[in-house]
PDB file of all heavy atoms in Angstrom:
ATOM      1  N   SER P 190      -4.648  -3.866  -2.853  1.00  0.00           N
ATOM      2  CA  SER P 190      -4.392  -5.379  -2.846  1.00  0.00           C
ATOM      3  C   SER P 190      -3.500  -5.808  -1.724  1.00  0.00           C
ATOM      4  O   SER P 190      -3.078  -6.923  -1.673  1.00  0.00           O
ATOM      5  CB  SER P 190      -3.695  -5.705  -4.228  1.00  0.00           C
ATOM      6  OG  SER P 190      -2.581  -4.873  -4.408  1.00  0.00           O
ATOM      7  N   ALA P 191      -3.296  -4.884  -0.691  1.00  0.00           N
ATOM      8  CA  ALA P 191      -2.553  -5.220   0.468  1.00  0.00           C
ATOM      9  C   ALA P 191      -3.347  -4.686   1.677  1.00  0.00           C
ATOM     10  O   ALA P 191      -3.787  -3.555   1.613  1.00  0.00           O
ATOM     11  CB  ALA P 191      -1.119  -4.628   0.377  1.00  0.00           C
ATOM     12  N   LEU P 192      -3.382  -5.469   2.689  1.00  0.00           N
ATOM     13  CA  LEU P 192      -4.115  -5.089   3.897  1.00  0.00           C
ATOM     14  C   LEU P 192      -3.372  -5.477   5.141  1.00  0.00           C
ATOM     15  O   LEU P 192      -3.012  -6.673   5.321  1.00  0.00           O
ATOM     16  CB  LEU P 192      -5.539  -5.793   3.963  1.00  0.00           C
ATOM     17  CG  LEU P 192      -6.480  -5.254   4.948  1.00  0.00           C
ATOM     18  CD1 LEU P 192      -6.954  -3.848   4.615  1.00  0.00           C
ATOM     19  CD2 LEU P 192      -7.657  -6.232   4.966  1.00  0.00           C
ATOM     20  N   ARG P 193      -3.162  -4.457   5.947  1.00  0.00           N
ATOM     21  CA  ARG P 193      -2.300  -4.699   7.262  1.00  0.00           C
ATOM     22  C   ARG P 193      -3.350  -4.826   8.344  1.00  0.00           C
ATOM     23  O   ARG P 193      -4.250  -4.103   8.455  1.00  0.00           O
ATOM     24  CB  ARG P 193      -1.390  -3.485   7.352  1.00  0.00           C
ATOM     25  CG  ARG P 193      -0.345  -3.508   8.423  1.00  0.00           C
ATOM     26  CD  ARG P 193       0.571  -2.370   8.219  1.00  0.00           C
ATOM     27  NE  ARG P 193       1.550  -2.010   9.173  1.00  0.00           N
ATOM     28  CZ  ARG P 193       1.465  -0.925  10.003  1.00  0.00           C
ATOM     29  NH1 ARG P 193       0.394  -0.086   9.906  1.00  0.00           N
ATOM     30  NH2 ARG P 193       2.304  -0.743  10.966  1.00  0.00           N
ATOM     31  N   ILE P 194      -3.041  -5.846   9.237  1.00  0.00           N
ATOM     32  CA  ILE P 194      -3.987  -6.213  10.303  1.00  0.00           C
ATOM     33  C   ILE P 194      -3.208  -6.312  11.564  1.00  0.00           C
ATOM     34  O   ILE P 194      -2.445  -7.183  11.711  1.00  0.00           O
ATOM     35  CB  ILE P 194      -4.815  -7.484   9.939  1.00  0.00           C
ATOM     36  CG1 ILE P 194      -5.461  -7.349   8.592  1.00  0.00           C
ATOM     37  CG2 ILE P 194      -5.783  -7.742  11.001  1.00  0.00           C
ATOM     38  CD1 ILE P 194      -6.108  -8.651   8.188  1.00  0.00           C
ATOM     39  N   PRO P 195      -3.606  -5.668  12.648  1.00  0.00           N
ATOM     40  CA  PRO P 195      -3.026  -5.788  13.957  1.00  0.00           C
ATOM     41  C   PRO P 195      -3.387  -7.129  14.588  1.00  0.00           C
ATOM     42  O   PRO P 195      -4.456  -7.698  14.411  1.00  0.00           O
ATOM     43  CB  PRO P 195      -3.624  -4.753  14.763  1.00  0.00           C
ATOM     44  CG  PRO P 195      -4.198  -3.719  13.833  1.00  0.00           C
ATOM     45  CD  PRO P 195      -4.622  -4.538  12.619  1.00  0.00           C
ATOM     46  N   ILE P 196      -2.366  -7.738  15.306  1.00  0.00           N
ATOM     47  CA  ILE P 196      -2.547  -8.854  16.142  1.00  0.00           C
ATOM     48  C   ILE P 196      -2.791  -8.293  17.515  1.00  0.00           C
ATOM     49  O   ILE P 196      -1.824  -7.985  18.268  1.00  0.00           O
ATOM     50  CB  ILE P 196      -1.308  -9.856  16.137  1.00  0.00           C
ATOM     51  CG1 ILE P 196      -1.075 -10.338  14.669  1.00  0.00           C
ATOM     52  CG2 ILE P 196      -1.515 -11.028  17.121  1.00  0.00           C
ATOM     53  CD1 ILE P 196       0.253 -11.074  14.549  1.00  0.00           C
ATOM     54  N   GLY P 197      -4.065  -8.185  17.946  1.00  0.00           N
ATOM     55  CA  GLY P 197      -4.348  -7.479  19.193  1.00  0.00           C
ATOM     56  C   GLY P 197      -4.723  -6.022  18.992  1.00  0.00           C
ATOM     57  O   GLY P 197      -4.934  -5.633  17.828  1.00  0.00           O
ATOM     58  N   ALA P 198      -4.516  -5.253  20.119  1.00  0.00           N
ATOM     59  CA  ALA P 198      -5.000  -3.874  20.001  1.00  0.00           C
ATOM     60  C   ALA P 198      -4.001  -3.001  19.268  1.00  0.00           C
ATOM     61  O   ALA P 198      -2.807  -3.248  19.286  1.00  0.00           O
ATOM     62  CB  ALA P 198      -5.208  -3.394  21.434  1.00  0.00           C
ATOM     63  N   SER P 199      -4.378  -1.874  18.712  1.00  0.00           N
ATOM     64  CA  SER P 199      -3.556  -0.825  18.261  1.00  0.00           C
ATOM     65  C   SER P 199      -4.047   0.499  18.829  1.00  0.00           C
ATOM     66  O   SER P 199      -4.927   0.575  19.690  1.00  0.00           O
ATOM     67  CB  SER P 199      -3.589  -0.829  16.754  1.00  0.00           C
ATOM     68  OG  SER P 199      -4.819  -0.297  16.260  1.00  0.00           O
ATOM     69  N   ASP P 200      -3.587   1.571  18.206  1.00  0.00           N
ATOM     70  CA  ASP P 200      -4.010   2.993  18.649  1.00  0.00           C
ATOM     71  C   ASP P 200      -5.568   3.069  18.457  1.00  0.00           C
ATOM     72  O   ASP P 200      -6.191   3.882  19.062  1.00  0.00           O
ATOM     73  CB  ASP P 200      -3.365   4.032  17.875  1.00  0.00           C
ATOM     74  CG  ASP P 200      -1.843   3.976  17.939  1.00  0.00           C
ATOM     75  OD1 ASP P 200      -1.272   2.846  18.133  1.00  0.00           O
ATOM     76  OD2 ASP P 200      -1.249   5.016  17.860  1.00  0.00           O
ATOM     77  N   PHE P 201      -6.045   2.264  17.519  1.00  0.00           N
ATOM     78  CA  PHE P 201      -7.458   2.393  17.088  1.00  0.00           C
ATOM     79  C   PHE P 201      -8.292   1.111  17.434  1.00  0.00           C
ATOM     80  O   PHE P 201      -8.661   0.327  16.577  1.00  0.00           O
ATOM     81  CB  PHE P 201      -7.566   2.683  15.609  1.00  0.00           C
ATOM     82  CG  PHE P 201      -7.062   4.127  15.294  1.00  0.00           C
ATOM     83  CD1 PHE P 201      -5.820   4.219  14.763  1.00  0.00           C
ATOM     84  CD2 PHE P 201      -7.813   5.236  15.649  1.00  0.00           C
ATOM     85  CE1 PHE P 201      -5.287   5.527  14.506  1.00  0.00           C
ATOM     86  CE2 PHE P 201      -7.351   6.540  15.380  1.00  0.00           C
ATOM     87  CZ  PHE P 201      -6.058   6.722  14.763  1.00  0.00           C
ATOM     88  N   SER P 202      -8.336   0.886  18.810  1.00  0.00           N
ATOM     89  CA  SER P 202      -9.040  -0.203  19.388  1.00  0.00           C
ATOM     90  C   SER P 202      -9.873   0.223  20.566  1.00  0.00           C
ATOM     91  O   SER P 202      -9.605   1.218  21.122  1.00  0.00           O
ATOM     92  CB  SER P 202      -8.051  -1.289  19.885  1.00  0.00           C
ATOM     93  OG  SER P 202      -7.325  -1.946  18.708  1.00  0.00           O
ATOM     94  N   PRO P 203     -10.947  -0.616  20.903  1.00  0.00           N
ATOM     95  CA  PRO P 203     -11.799  -0.192  22.008  1.00  0.00           C
ATOM     96  C   PRO P 203     -11.096  -0.337  23.339  1.00  0.00           C
ATOM     97  O   PRO P 203     -11.385   0.328  24.379  1.00  0.00           O
ATOM     98  CB  PRO P 203     -12.936  -1.072  21.944  1.00  0.00           C
ATOM     99  CG  PRO P 203     -12.364  -2.251  21.186  1.00  0.00           C
ATOM    100  CD  PRO P 203     -11.491  -1.732  20.157  1.00  0.00           C
ATOM    101  N   SER P 204     -10.049  -1.209  23.439  1.00  0.00           N
ATOM    102  CA  SER P 204      -9.334  -1.380  24.706  1.00  0.00           C
ATOM    103  C   SER P 204      -7.935  -1.997  24.341  1.00  0.00           C
ATOM    104  O   SER P 204      -7.747  -2.481  23.174  1.00  0.00           O
ATOM    105  CB  SER P 204     -10.046  -2.352  25.629  1.00  0.00           C
ATOM    106  OG  SER P 204     -10.262  -3.619  25.054  1.00  0.00           O
ATOM    107  N   ALA P 205      -7.017  -2.023  25.276  1.00  0.00           N
ATOM    108  CA  ALA P 205      -5.768  -2.658  25.122  1.00  0.00           C
ATOM    109  C   ALA P 205      -5.874  -4.127  25.417  1.00  0.00           C
ATOM    110  O   ALA P 205      -6.160  -4.586  26.582  1.00  0.00           O
ATOM    111  CB  ALA P 205      -4.692  -2.081  26.043  1.00  0.00           C
TER     112      ALA P 205
END
Side-chain angles (χ1 to χ4, degrees):
S190 52
L192 191 66
R193 191 165 168 254
I194 305 174
I196 300 170
S199 73
D200 305 28
F201 293 100
S202 292
S204 62

